[in-house]
Structures are given as C-alpha cells and as structure tokens.
Amino acid sequence: MKRKLFEHHLFLQPRKGARQSRTQTRTHEAHRPLDMTAPTKRDGEQVQRNRFTRRTLLLGASGMGLFGLLASKLYNLQNIEGRKYKSLAEDNRITTRFLPPVRGKIYDRNHMLIATNAQNLRVLIIPERAKNVARSLSLLGQVIKISDRQKRRVLKTARRQNPQFPILVADNILWGQFARINVLGERIPGIIGDISWKRRYELGEEFAHILGHLGQPSSFQLTSQPALHLPGALVGVAGVEQGFESALHGMPGRRELEVNARGQSQRVISETPAQSGKDIILTIDHVLQQRILKRLSPYRRAAVVAIEVNSGDIVAMCSTPSFDPNILTPPIDKNEWKNLLKTRDQPLEDKATRGQYPPGSTFKMVTALAGLEAGIITARTRFKCPGYMQWHKQRYNCWKHSGHGSVQLHKALKQSCDVFFYETARKIGIHRLAAMARKLGLGEVYDCGLPGQKPGIVPDPDWKQLEKRRIWFRGETVLAAIGQGYVLATPLQLAVMTARLATGRKILPRIAYEKGKELRTVAPLLGLSKKSLKLIHKGMSGVINEQDGTATGAALGWPGLQMAGKTGTSQVRGNRWKNRHGKQLDWQYRDHALFVAFAPVKNPRYAVSVIVEHGKSGGKVAGPVARDIMKMLLIRDPAHQVSSINSDHSSSIGSALETGTKNQKEL
Amino acid sequence: MRPRTTTSFTHRARSNKAQSTEPAPLSILRKLYRIPWLFLFILSIIAALGIATLHSISGARGAYLADQQLIRYLIAFILLLTCAMVPAKLWMQLSYPLFALSILLVMLVPIIGVMPPGAGAKRWLMIGKVSVQPSEFLKIALVLGLARYFHSVPARKISNPLYLVVPLMMLLLPLIPIFMQPDLGTALLVAMIGAGIVFLAGVNSFYFISAGLVALGALPVLWANLLPYQRERIFTFLNPERDPLGAGYHLMQSKIAICSADLWGKGADNATQSQLNFLPEKHTDFIFAMFTEQHGFIGAMGLMTLYIICFALLSLMAIRTKNLYGRLVISGMALTLFLYVFINMGMVMGLLPVVGVPLPLMSYGGTSILSIMFGLGIAISAFVHRK
C-alpha cells in the first residue's frame, strides 16, 4: 500500500488522463453533486486521502507543540512571573478591613457593671475609595450637617494617613441620619456608616482613677498594631483600662473584601470576626468606694487605699477630688476638658498611686522592725527622750518638745517618740533601714495592672549619689528614721506596707483580674520573726487602744474587735516656718495627716492607709477617717470574718455591726 | 437527479465496497450508533466546567449566567444532534447558501450592527431581541464553503493556481467587512482557518511557504496601515504594564488572576481575583483566567487535555472519513476549535495580543456556543455519513 502511494506521488498521470479525469469530475459534479462515495479517480482519491492524513497529523503535531507552549507559559506565569503578580493581586484587589473588637467590660467585685460600651453611630470616609474627598464631603453635607472645621480636619487627616484607612467624619449621629446615610451612602463614594461602641463609665466619679480612661493610641502602638488605625480606635491610657489593655482590647477581626475598580466592595471574601475583649473584674467594692469618697468629702485633697491583707486585693482606692472619666473618653468636649483642668486641687491626679508623700511617723514601724530584726533593739531597749537628740553637734528635735522621758519600743510607737527612732536608726544605719523599707514594699512599683504608679523614694547613699550627686550625710539617716527627709511613699505603698506588717507575708496588691482567673497563691513569708511583728502589732494597737496613744480617737469602739494603726504627721515645711506669726498657716503649708491601720489586731483582715493632704494632724484627722473606713470594711467583709474572728464575743459583734451601720448612716 | 448511468463508471465498477454500501440510507439507529459519543461527552464536560465557572461568579449574576449558559448548551446540544442526523449530502447542498448568508450577515454588521455597552467594537446584530455575532457563524460557514469547493475540485487540479482563485475570493470576501468592523482577531482567525483548509485539502506546500514569506515581508507594510487601537493592542501586548489602567488592563488583570493561583488553584470560593469586577470580560473571553485561578495549574492542564482529546478525536474522525467534503469539514472544525482555544488561552496568558476570541464551550455567549455546536454537528454528520 505504501509503495503504491509512493508511486502515485512520483509518477504523474499523463496529460490525457488528467483531462479525462477532469471531464469525469465535471460530469460527476454536474450530475451527482451529492454522491460523495463517487470518487474522481480512485488512485487520485487515495493520494489525496493519504496526503490529508499526513497533513492532519502534521497540523496535529504542531498544535500539540503550540499547546506545549501554552503549558510552559502557564507554568512560567505561575512560578516565575507569579510572585510579582501575586503581590499585585493581594495589594490591589483585596482590601482588608479591620473589625474593631468590642472592648471588654469591667465589673467590680460584686459583679456590678462599672465600664461598659454604648452604641455610637458614625460616618466614616475612606479616601482611597472616595478619590475626591472634598467632593464626597460636600455631597455628604447635603445629608447631614458637617461643619467647616470637621471638613478641614478630615481633609488634613486624609492627606496624612494611608488612604485605605477610614477617617471619622462625624459621630454620635442620630438614627434617622444614620439610616439616610446608609441608603444614600452608596452614591457618595467612600462614605460608610458605621456602628461603634463608646466607652461608658457607670460610676465615673468613684472609679475615675482606678479605671483610667481611653484615648488615642500612641504612635508606637499605631506602628505595632495596624488595627489601631481604625477611626476612633482607642486604647486605655491610664488605670486599669491601660493596665489590662491587652485583655480588654480583644482581637480585631479582619474582613477581606473584593473591591472593583472604583473601590466599591463587591463581596466579602473572608471574615474573621473580632474577638471581644475579656471582661475584667475589679477587686474594688463599689459600695465601699462610694462610701469612702463620701467620707472624704470634707477634705480638699485626700487619698485612701484599703487592702485585704491576706490576698492583697485592693478593696477600695480613693483619691479626692475625683472627676467623671466620661469626659475624657474621646471625643473630648473641649469646654468640659477646660473646666476639668481649671478645677481646684487637680482632680485628674490619682493621689493613691501617684501622690508621693513623706510617710512621717507611719515609717516608724519600718525603723522599729529594722532595729528588732537587726538585734539592735529589743522590747526592753530604753532610750531617753529629752525632746531632742544631740548627735555630732546637730540637734534633732522630737515632736514633743518636753520629751517623752525614758522610752521603750512600745511607748515609742504608741506616742510616736521621734528620739527613740533617731537613736535606733543611728545604730542600724541607712542600709539596713532602706532594706527593711523595701522589704515592706516601699520604693517599689507593683505589677498589678495599675500603670503610672510612682515609686516613692527609699533613700540610701547609692540613691543619693545617683540622683543628687551628693554624698550621704549621717543626719539624713536620722531623718529617714521618722519618714522625713528624702523618704517618700504613696498611699498604695503605705497600705501594702501595713498589710505586710499585719501578716508578715509578702503581700502584693491586686486591683483587677480577668474573668475566671481570680485565684491567687498565698503570698510567701517575708522572713520576719513573729516576735518582732507581735511587738509592732502591740505598739500599733497601743496607738489607738491605749489611753496615752496618739490616736485614741480612732478606736473602733466595738468591744472585742480592735484596730491597730499608726499616725503620721509629715511636715510640708520645716519647723522654723511654723507659727511664725502666731496665726494659722496657709493651707498648702500645713502638715499632711497620715494614718495607716489594720484590723482586727488578732487576725488581720484589712489594711488601710489614709492621707489627708494638709490635714495637720494624723491622729486627729486621718485617724478617725481610717476608723470609719475600717468599720465599713469590716461590716462589708464578704467572708464574715467578723464573726469568726471573735467567736466568743458573738453577742458583741451584733452590737458592733449595729454601731457600724449607725455610723455609716451618719456618714 | 439523474440516475446513475454507465458513465459513472469504471472506477465505480471497480469499487465493490462503495457499491455495497451505496444503496441503503442509514437507519436512525445506525446513525445514532455511529455518533462519536465519547467526543460529545468530552464536549459536555468542557461545557459543564464552563457553566460551573460561571456559577462561581458571586451573587445572583453568577447563577443567572450559569442558567443561561446551561439552557444555551442544551439547545446547542440538541442542535448538534439534529445536525448530525441530517444527511451530509444535504449539508453539502446547503454549504454554499449558508456561506453566502453568513457573508451577507457579516456585511450587514457595519451597517445595522450594534455595539453593546462595554464592548469595544461593533460585532453584534440584533435579530428581534437576540443579539448575534455574525462573525462567529462566518467561521463555520467558511469551513463549509471551502470544504464544499475543494470537494468538487479534482484531486490532481487542487494545486493548480486557477483553482485557487475561488477559495482565495471566498476568503477575502468576508475579510473586508470584518476588517471594517473592525475586528483584527476574527480576520486573522478567518484567514488562518481558510489557509488551514486549503492546506488540508492538499494544495501544494509551495504556496504556503511562499505565502508565509510574503506575509513576513508584508509585516512592515501592514504595521504602517494598522489602526491606532490595533497598534495599541500590540504595544500593550508587548508590555502590558505600559498602561495598566487602560489598554493593558485586561491582560494585567487576567495575569494577576492566573498567577495568584498555585498548583491546585484557590477553589471557587477563594478565587478572589476573578471574582472582582476588575475583569469586565471575565465571563466571556477571559473565563480561562477565572478558571485557572480557581483550579490552578492542574485544572488548566486538565482543561487543555480535554480540548486536546477533542482535537485528536476530530482528527481521527476526519482521517476515517472517506469523502473529501466530510474530511475537510471535520478537520476544518477541528482547526477552528483549535485556533479558538489556542488564541484565547494565549491571549489570556499574555502570549498573544488581546483579540476578542472566546474560549469554545466555556465562554459565556450564545452565538459562540451555538455556532460551534452547529459546526460540530455538521462535522459529526459528515462522520456519521462517512461512506
């Protein structure tokens, strides 16, 4: 067959044959045009057919070759050119929108809602989609009112930031307007209506300093967390809101959107919903907080910290004057903000954690304990107090110019004899004194979710060299012994110190915890001898409960339930300024009144520190405040420790509670 | 019709086989049996893939397009079967009239044609409420007409230049209105289909080689005479990034779509690029980009393989067909299909300039699918009635 085919190729048909075949074809064509089985000439037909087959195969092969080209191009596109186009694809066509998480709520220890989120209807503009922001704004202006200032602000922001992040145009708009924007917004490029949440504080005044408030994220936060570029994205900037920011904030969700050439979203590709922030539970009792604030109302500037001595939970922490943190939640009303700044006594300042005061005589426990632990003094050690101590030609006065006579530790604490502690400190030296102060929690910032705490000062030669570039003078040790000189402490630190003194354990304060993480381990012992602690407790109890104590007015007055405490009157100005003209000093030069206390003496439950700025006398002013607060605390003690403490005095507890209630009513 | 006379003949008499099959027309069952069902099955798979891809377009639009396409494919499938049952003789009879009609329609386009919004050129004719694209029919009709012509040309005269005048005219006649439309893609496609059929018909290779050389020489001249938009297309083809929002836009977008897929693709739900309305033609000419994004390299290769099987089956069918008309129709359809697929894929991948060529059976569009299935129906008819 093949040979035959070959022959036909080589040997052309004679001319005649060709002619014949043509006529044949013609006839065939003319008469039998549809008879396809009729060949022109069988051999010619066969040649043609074979040639057809060859050419078909040839075309088929070249077709395959072309498909191979396509396949290689496809491979090339996806694997070599692919990288470039892939990034183009992700960049241009998909916009990621962050979904703001709902901030966690904050409850107090009774699970009363303190900080919550209120709905806020907003209008946003995305410059990338709007193309012409000014035009979009003017169009929007036909729907809702936009002031020129708002417009300018939006335009300014639009020039600055990444155009794909929305800018807040207006917020707190009404439902009707919001609905209109949602209907018409489609026609105004770049405009979107949005529901956000605004932080609301239910008991603003009471919790202002504890909770802090929300504010614009810092530039550092912005670079590390792109989701914070969301308009109105806020972070806690003070207090628990800041301290527990990571838990409260939650995880922003992501919505990947397809956008068309105009930047209008076409479809949601994927959506990872935002995870709401975790709820935070404060250790604060809002009832106590309210009552304490009320109790502090007669004083211009005061602060109170109450701690549960065993757990370190801060049950109450007040700083007066206070303010309404709702004012500080953006958008801030400028007038309200100005008023707040103008308010007397700086309500914004949290005196409980940021106010640093010379602890005065409340520091004397530290000196005493340091002496006891160092073995330099014992319960029987006696010093003579002639009203001053003479040391190296320098005279150090006792507060009581007539002197306390022969003084032992108990009396020294009870009557707050300065000379006793001067003498003690002189012997133990500043290093051991400072070490004891630090052991008791002074000079330290506690990691408890309360940012902005001031560390106070526990001075020693190293500190002085570092800070003041001066050498340490002996006299400064003596001054430090009575909590004057360089020593500074915050009310929170004083409360912690008192709690540590009360328990002998390394109590750390706690202000809040994430829901479900409330358990704590028992604080480790500080390694103080029980004997020394007992002596201190006895002395502190004497301050209140003994006739010649410095704060007899602070006695609880409940049979069988006693409070131990220590007064502190820290000088704002040196003695030589006092009573110079025989008249009362200006308010700001008066001494601070301090008081630290814990109760009950036998099995302590709460520690309290009180400072009334320029309150003149720790015993007369701060003491009674501490007493009242301690009563409130003991009455509201959830563990009802009151009854278990003095089970043999159950009848008296009843009356104690009654008195307490009565007292509270009086408050 | 004249009865068979003795004049026809000596070779007839020699051919016992031909004589034996001649008298009885094929029964319907026999015809059905002869229909290449495997081929139809593969066609249907391709069409189903196309419909699925259309369906993946987001929202109600995707479902609507898919439904429309399904209906059209079913109609086209019935049309194909009907055409396949019609005796090939009849098709041969109808070849010239159909060719004439299609040329008439193509010529009408510049006069009463419409340009739908979004389309770049006047390519549609409104018949009632249906818009049709005559140039799509023309490609089929051209195959029929040329096959019909070469069938009547004696085997040994096929390379005679005189006999080539007619097919050349048949080619040039429709090219004029197509150039006027203007539609460079279709013009090239028509020219290539015509040349292919002439080649398959057995015309001496010399013509093709010389024609190729002439074309090469004519390129500069052609370039000088190209319309600006045509030059623009070539420029952007050479460097799509030159104008990413204008001329190169489609290509860029389709490349992005293809490249953003990996080996297995992103799946219908995650194929983000093609779902974007960045690609206005994504459901028609650029459906391959969408398909590749969804099904990746593997999917694209699978689709290509399906098409290759189609061409292979058609080629086998053509080789097995005894008469020239049938052979040329079948192979012409195979060639048309191949050129469509190759040009479309090449254009989507940036291998070829962007010309409006749909992907057969995949692209959304009634005219395209109907004309292809119609042509394939005639091809199958030729195969069914191959003796």
Side-chain angles (χ1 to χ4, degrees):
Chain A
M1 181 70 190
K2 198 158 186 177
R3 225 186 86 204
K4 204 172 182 182
L5 192 146
F6 191 59
E7 276 173 0
H8 279 292
H9 257 290
L10 285 180
F11 305 106
L12 287 167
Q13 298 267 332
R15 228 188 167 82
K16 195 184 160 196
R19 189 162 197 86
Q20 189 192 5
S21 114
R22 193 182 165 195
T23 42
Q24 278 166 6
T25 321
R26 241 199 209 151
T27 348
H28 163 73
E29 219 13 60
H31 306 301
R32 306 184 55 77
L34 305 173
D35 186 355
M36 291 182 294
T37 53
T40 46
K41 188 168 182 189
R42 198 168 176 272
D43 291 345
E45 165 86 319
Q46 197 55 54
V47 170
Q48 201 176 25
R49 206 175 154 186
N50 287 325
R51 187 190 283 164
F52 176 83
T53 307
R54 267 199 323 276
R55 291 193 171 184
T56 304
L57 292 178
L58 182 71
L59 282 187
S62 46
M64 286 301 291
L66 290 174
F67 262 94
L69 193 67
L70 283 184
S72 69
K73 174 72 179 176
L74 184 63
Y75 181 83
N76 189 40
L77 269 182
Q78 291 196 327
N79 294 286
I80 292 142
E81 285 184 61
R83 259 168 247 142
K84 184 180 95 189
Y85 284 101
K86 248 174 213 163
S87 64
L88 273 178
E90 300 311 317
D91 286 357
N92 298 339
R93 307 303 154 223
I94 300 169
T95 51
T96 303
R97 209 175 286 167
F98 290 105
L99 306 172
V102 178
R103 202 173 172 83
K105 298 190 204 67
I106 300 177
Y107 298 88
D108 88 328
R109 76 183 296 140
N110 308 317
H111 295 264
M112 148 109 185
L113 198 57
I114 303 298
T116 180
N117 305 300
Q119 213 172 43
N120 178 17
L121 305 175
R122 310 184 294 173
V123 189
L124 312 174
I125 187 165
I126 301 173
E128 191 186 42
R129 295 205 239 153
K131 300 281 188 270
N132 187 343
V133 178
R135 198 180 141 264
S136 288
L137 283 180
S138 67
L139 281 172
L140 183 67
Q142 294 166 15
V143 187
I144 59 163
K145 249 189 189 169
I146 309 172
S147 68
D148 281 349
R149 243 190 43 217
Q150 278 171 307
K151 267 185 200 174
R152 258 180 278 130
R153 177 180 56 83
V154 172
L155 287 170
K156 202 170 146 195
T157 322
R159 277 196 300 274
R160 278 195 202 147
Q161 72 176 33
N162 187 331
Q164 66 179 348
F165 291 115
I167 303 166
L168 183 71
V169 180
D171 76 344
N172 286 323
I173 59 169
L174 303 171
W175 255 114
Q177 293 177 327
F178 188 69
R180 260 193 286 170
I181 284 160
N182 276 335
V183 173
L184 299 171
E186 285 290 302
R187 288 192 223 152
I188 311 172
I191 293 289
I192 42 170
D194 174 68
I195 300 175
S196 77
W197 301 93
K198 190 179 172 170
R199 200 65 160 169
R200 255 256 309 283
Y201 300 103
E202 301 295 347
L203 289 168
E205 291 259 336
E206 286 80 357
F207 285 89
H209 299 115
I210 295 167
L211 293 181
H213 57 273
L214 300 184
Q216 311 290 347
S218 67
S219 56
F220 170 73
Q221 284 171 313
L222 281 179
T223 46
S224 58
Q225 289 166 275
L228 290 177
H229 277 288
L230 283 166
L234 297 174
V235 294
V237 291
V240 168
E241 291 271 32
Q242 184 186 349
F244 286 80
E245 172 64 25
S246 54
L248 282 166
H249 196 271
M251 286 290 292
R254 286 165 74 97
R255 183 186 284 156
E256 293 200 316
L257 288 171
E258 295 171 359
V259 284
N260 64 11
R262 287 183 183 170
Q264 292 157 332
S265 68
Q266 298 291 303
R267 193 177 67 113
V268 177
I269 297 157
S270 69
E271 188 169 323
T272 320
Q275 287 173 25
S276 307
K278 294 196 183 68
D279 289 349
I280 294 294
I281 295 169
L282 297 173
T283 57
I284 307 284
D285 182 337
H286 76 274
V287 177
L288 283 173
Q289 196 79 1
Q290 279 173 310
R291 289 179 182 168
I292 292 170
L293 261 184
K294 210 170 168 193
R295 177 68 183 85
L296 292 178
S297 57
Y299 311 111
R300 273 176 62 179
R301 289 161 61 96
V304 165
V305 177
I307 283 185
E308 215 175 69
V309 290
N310 293 309
S311 61
D313 283 358
I314 302 171
V315 196
M317 190 164 80
C318 297
S319 169
T320 189
S322 187
F323 63 99
D324 182 3
N326 290 308
I327 296 171
L328 293 185
T329 308
I332 298 172
D333 186 305
K334 270 201 175 155
N335 292 325
E336 281 181 325
W337 169 243
K338 274 180 190 163
N339 286 338
L340 200 56
L341 288 181
K342 269 188 245 164
T343 310
R344 200 178 63 163
D345 299 332
Q346 294 121 33
L348 289 172
E349 192 69 16
D350 179 17
K351 286 165 248 347
T353 60
R354 294 177 59 79
Q356 304 183 95
Y357 307 94
S361 303
T362 55
F363 192 77
K364 283 173 180 165
M365 277 86 76
V366 179
T367 314
L369 205 51
L372 286 169
E373 288 294 298
I376 283 164
I377 56 164
T378 63
R380 280 186 294 277
T381 309
R382 279 180 188 277
F383 291 111
K384 203 173 175 185
C385 172
Y388 60 88
M389 181 186 82
Q390 191 80 32
W391 190 38
H392 292 278
K393 292 177 188 170
Q394 185 79 37
R395 201 176 166 134
Y396 302 92
N397 286 319
C398 184
W399 67 272
K400 197 174 176 183
H401 298 293
S402 54
H404 290 93
S406 175
V407 183
Q408 276 181 316
L409 175 64
H410 184 74
K411 191 182 173 188
L413 276 173
K414 187 168 70 178
Q415 300 193 342
S416 201
C417 174
D418 291 341
V419 171
F420 181 90
F421 295 100
Y422 292 152
E423 297 281 359
T424 311
R426 219 178 74 182
K427 288 182 177 165
I428 52 181
I430 187 63
H431 291 288
R432 278 186 280 188
L433 186 62
M436 180 55 71
R438 293 200 185 95
K439 203 170 197 174
L440 291 173
L442 299 179
E444 185 185 339
V445 165
Y446 309 110
D447 176 26
C448 64
L450 273 176
Q453 289 176 51
K454 285 278 165 75
I457 295 170
V458 173
D460 62 10
D462 292 343
W463 168 85
K464 196 180 175 192
Q465 186 61 46
L466 202 72
E467 290 292 316
K468 307 272 179 189
R469 305 252 165 234
R470 295 277 194 286
I471 55 153
W472 185 261
F473 297 121
R474 280 174 302 217
E476 287 165 345
T477 309
V478 174
L479 284 178
I482 59 156
Q484 295 281 353
Y486 294 118
V487 188
L488 288 178
T490 65
L492 177 63
Q493 286 172 339
L494 289 177
V496 170
M497 176 193 84
T498 313
R500 289 188 181 182
L501 282 172
T503 55
R505 288 177 182 276
K506 196 184 175 191
I507 302 300
L508 281 168
R510 181 168 77 161
I511 187 83
Y513 50 86
E514 270 178 47
K515 214 170 184 176
K517 291 187 186 171
E518 47 195 298
L519 283 175
R520 289 191 81 171
T521 49
V522 178
L525 284 165
L526 282 169
L528 300 170
S529 79
K530 276 190 178 169
K531 212 173 132 197
S532 326
L533 280 174
K534 209 158 185 184
L535 283 170
I536 302 287
H537 289 188
K538 237 178 115 188
M540 288 175 74
S541 179
V543 170
I544 298 167
N545 302 308
E546 286 178 29
Q547 284 297 312
D548 46 357
T550 48
T552 45
L556 288 178
W558 290 347
L561 213 154
Q562 286 182 335
M563 181 166 88
K566 181 75 194 81
T567 55
T569 305
S570 64
Q571 286 177 2
V572 177
R573 277 196 165 183
N575 275 334
R576 57 200 153 116
W577 292 91
K578 269 188 182 169
N579 298 326
R580 175 171 268 194
H581 309 292
K583 57 179 179 183
Q584 207 174 30
L585 281 165
D586 286 342
W587 180 81
Q588 66 266 35
Y589 302 134
R590 293 179 201 162
D591 295 341
H592 291 318
L594 287 92
F595 201 87
V596 296
F598 65 88
V601 178
K602 280 182 187 168
N603 192 0
R605 284 286 303 144
Y606 293 104
V608 168
S609 73
V610 176
I611 172 149
V612 178
E613 283 191 28
H614 313 293
K616 291 201 285 189
S617 162
K620 287 187 187 115
V621 177
V625 173
R627 173 200 66 199
D628 292 337
I629 289 165
M630 191 58 84
K631 279 182 177 177
M632 299 171 200
L633 284 165
L634 289 172
I635 285 162
R636 280 193 64 83
D637 187 351
H640 277 286
Q641 287 281 326
V642 176
S643 51
S644 64
I645 297 160
N646 292 8
S647 51
D648 44 334
H649 295 295
S650 52
S651 58
S652 59
I653 296 301
S655 62
L657 287 174
E658 254 173 45
T659 334
T661 344
K662 224 164 91 189
N663 271 353
Q664 260 162 310
K665 274 176 191 161
E666 284 162 13
L667 303 172
Chain B
M1 194 184 281
R2 258 169 80 164
R4 271 171 228 122
T5 56
T6 44
T7 44
S8 64
F9 308 124
T10 42
H11 14 271
R12 167 67 53 75
R14 292 212 301 246
S15 163
N16 297 329
K17 237 190 203 167
Q19 239 173 3
S20 63
T21 49
E22 167 61 23
L26 292 165
S27 71
I28 299 241
L29 276 174
R30 184 90 188 130
K31 284 182 183 179
L32 283 176
Y33 176 75
R34 282 187 166 197
I35 284 178
W37 291 108
L38 176 66
F39 178 69
L40 296 189
F41 177 63
I42 288 165
L43 285 189
S44 301
I45 290 178
I46 296 174
L49 289 174
I51 291 164
T53 310
L54 289 174
H55 200 92
S56 73
I57 294 175
S58 56
R61 184 169 154 78
Y64 169 79
L65 291 177
D67 287 352
Q68 287 284 307
Q69 187 78 345
L70 181 62
I71 292 164
R72 282 166 184 176
Y73 181 69
L74 290 177
I75 292 170
F77 194 78
I78 292 163
L79 178 76
L80 179 140
L81 283 183
T82 318
C83 291
M85 302 309 265
V86 170
K89 288 177 198 169
L90 187 58
W91 287 122
M92 202 158 122
Q93 257 179 335
L94 285 172
S95 288
Y96 282 144
L98 279 173
F99 183 59
L101 179 70
S102 72
I103 287 192
L104 186 71
L105 284 178
V106 168
M107 288 195 167
L108 279 177
V109 169
I111 305 160
I112 58 163
V114 289
M115 191 160 71
K122 251 191 197 180
R123 280 174 209 172
W124 283 263
L125 270 185
M126 292 300 290
I127 297 171
K129 278 190 170 179
V130 189
S131 59
V132 289
Q133 223 176 325
S135 52
E136 295 291 325
F137 276 122
L138 176 74
K139 290 157 201 159
I140 311 298
L142 180 71
V143 172
L144 295 181
L146 284 174
R148 171 73 186 83
Y149 173 76
F150 282 109
H151 182 80
S152 63
V153 174
R156 249 168 278 111
K157 290 289 175 189
I158 224 153
S159 290
N160 189 322
L162 278 178
Y163 282 87
L164 288 177
V165 173
V166 177
L168 215 60
M169 290 308 291
M170 282 168 81
L171 253 176
L172 289 177
L173 205 61
L175 281 182
I176 295 162
I178 292 174
F179 258 118
M180 280 165 69
Q181 273 182 23
D183 191 345
L184 186 67
T186 308
L188 280 170
L189 204 58
V190 165
M192 279 192 276
I193 292 168
I197 291 173
V198 173
F199 180 68
L200 285 168
V203 174
N204 199 322
S205 313
F206 166 76
Y207 287 107
F208 294 94
I209 295 163
S210 48
L213 289 175
V214 167
L216 216 63
L219 260 180
V221 184
L222 190 71
W223 178 253
N225 288 312
L226 278 179
L227 288 175
Y229 90 96
Q230 288 162 332
R231 280 191 207 172
E232 198 62 35
R233 278 188 179 179
I234 290 168
F235 276 135
T236 57
F237 160 66
L238 293 174
N239 182 16
E241 279 85 341
R242 208 171 69 99
D243 185 10
L245 286 174
Y249 186 75
H250 264 93
L251 191 53
M252 279 289 286
Q253 297 307 323
S254 88
K255 273 191 172 180
I256 286 171
I258 291 171
C259 295
S260 62
D262 53 7
L263 195 63
W264 291 99
K266 295 184 189 168
D269 288 329
N270 298 322
T272 53
Q273 287 315 109
S274 53
Q275 293 292 1
L276 308 178
N277 284 348
F278 274 93
L279 220 51
E281 302 276 302
K282 68 179 175 202
H283 59 293
T284 58
D285 291 358
F286 282 84
I287 198 165
F288 183 66
M290 185 155 67
F291 182 84
T292 308
E293 192 192 8
Q294 291 177 7
H295 305 290
F297 186 72
I298 300 288
M301 292 314 290
L303 185 65
M304 280 190 201
T305 310
L306 286 176
Y307 277 119
I308 288 169
I309 293 171
C310 277
F311 309 141
L313 286 175
L314 277 173
S315 302
L316 286 176
M317 279 156 64
I319 290 166
R320 282 177 67 194
T321 305
K322 297 261 161 62
N323 62 81
L324 186 57
Y325 176 77
R327 280 205 301 264
L328 287 182
V329 167
I330 298 170
S331 57
M333 279 315 297
L335 186 65
T336 310
L337 210 60
F338 170 79
L339 286 172
Y340 266 111
V341 173
F342 178 72
I343 292 177
N344 179 278
M345 287 185 175
M347 139 185 128
V348 169
M349 284 183 224
L351 202 63
L352 294 174
V354 176
V355 288
V357 170
L359 189 60
L361 302 168
M362 290 278 288
S363 288
Y364 179 80
T367 320
S368 158
I369 210 163
L370 280 172
S371 62
I372 283 163
M373 292 296 268
F374 174 64
L376 288 174
I378 295 169
I380 289 169
S381 163
F383 179 66
V384 167
H385 309 88
R386 58 184 174 265
K387 279 178 182 166

